[in-house]
Amino acid sequence: MDFIIMGRDVKIAPSILAADFADFGREIQAVEEQGADWIHVDVMDGHFVPNLTFGPALCKAIRPHVKTVMDVHLMISPVEPYIAAYAEAGADIITAHYEATHHPHRTVQAIRAAGCKAGIALNPSTPAESVEYLLDSVDLICVMTVNPGFGGQSFIWSQLQKIEKLKSMIGSRPIYLEIDGGVDTETAASLVEAGANVLVAGSAVFEGGSVQKPAVYGENISAIRNTFEV
């Protein structure tokens, strides 16, 4: 799947962390039918971040329901021992944290060797310059605009400068610049203006909707998109 050039210029990637855990299959189908471009899976280990969420078995279980792109964000440490398991579970993109490994370049290489697109994520305190040497090795850079670990946090506005810096550093390279944390109708336009082209949104997409009321997901996605598309 060559999703580097597919579809809209700006992707909306709902995070299933905000979906109904008892009904992931139908939730994914509903949100994709309502306009989601990717499905974002936040993997947390209770060690690197203060929360515990999904393992490879969950990713394997939902893979048949994901018709777009399964974007797996590993907020875990160590990360290297688990790359193969998430690749085998069907991830299209695997993103590891710069802070979770002593050897980010080796981690990125391992992700690509496993057959997935490779992403590197930066916590709010990690400067853009940290990943400059990785720009020819990654397919995606994820900027955390909240402290990783929980959904529903307030957006850290100082991260806009980091996004702008990364956009300049990326230049013409085919690298996605993804934002994770606090994406909603109040922040989306500023993020896109700064250079972001993948927006991870949890509660801003899923709030108020359900598999019985899927149109609400579409309305929420459209509300986000309408802030930056004329």
Side-chain angles (χ1 to χ4, degrees), residues 30-44:
V31 79
E32 286 188 334
E33 289 178 350
Q34 293 296 322
D37 298 295
W38 295 1
I39 298 297
H40 189 82
V41 184
D42 285 306
V43 175
M44 306 180 191

Side-chain angles (χ1 to χ4, degrees), residues 22 70 83 98 101 119 126 142 146 149 154 165 170 178:
M70 188 159 78
I83 289 170
Y98 177 85
T101 175
T126 303
C142 176
V146 299
S154 298
K165 175 66 174 177
I170 289 168
E178 179 178 75

Side-chain angles (χ1 to χ4, degrees), residues 40-209:
H40 189 82
V41 184
D42 285 306
V43 175
M44 306 180 191
D45 64 358
H47 168 68
F48 180 68
V49 293
N51 199 0
L52 186 66
T53 59
F54 316 123
L58 184 280
C59 291
K60 184 176 181 179
I62 66 173
R63 176 69 259 190
H65 302 279
V66 179
K67 306 305 180 187
T68 56
V69 169
M70 188 159 78
D71 176 30
V72 177
H73 178 186
L74 300 183
M75 286 172 270
I76 65 176
S77 179
V79 63
E80 289 85 356
Y82 301 99
I83 289 170
Y86 283 98
E88 291 168 5
D92 294 302
I93 306 169
I94 295 178
T95 297
H97 268 259
Y98 177 85
E99 307 84 6
T101 175
H102 295 297
H103 306 286
H105 186 263
R106 182 185 298 167
T107 302
V108 167
Q109 287 180 313
I111 294 170
R112 284 187 159 179
C116 299
K117 299 293 186 181
I120 195 79
L122 302 179
N123 282 342
S125 63
T126 303
E129 291 79 5
S130 299
V131 296
E132 188 167 9
Y133 80 104
L134 293 172
L135 291 177
D136 293 320
S137 303
V138 297
D139 304 291
L140 179 148
I141 297 172
C142 176
V143 178
M144 296 299 303
T145 45
V146 299
N147 291 302
F150 293 97
Q153 297 183 65
S154 298
F155 183 83
I156 301 174
W157 285 97
S158 63
Q159 297 304 294
L160 285 176
Q161 288 82 9
K162 183 192 293 186
I163 297 165
E164 292 171 351
K165 175 66 174 177
L166 284 165
K167 180 62 176 177
S168 176
M169 289 164 56
I170 289 168
S172 61
R173 296 178 179 89
I175 298 173
Y176 279 116
L177 185 49
E178 179 178 75
I179 310 304
D180 190 351
V183 174
D184 57 23
T185 55
E186 300 299 317
T187 60
S190 296
L191 293 168
V192 173
E193 183 178 358
N197 52 17
V198 182
L199 304 180
V200 176
S203 56
V205 168
F206 285 100
E207 187 172 7

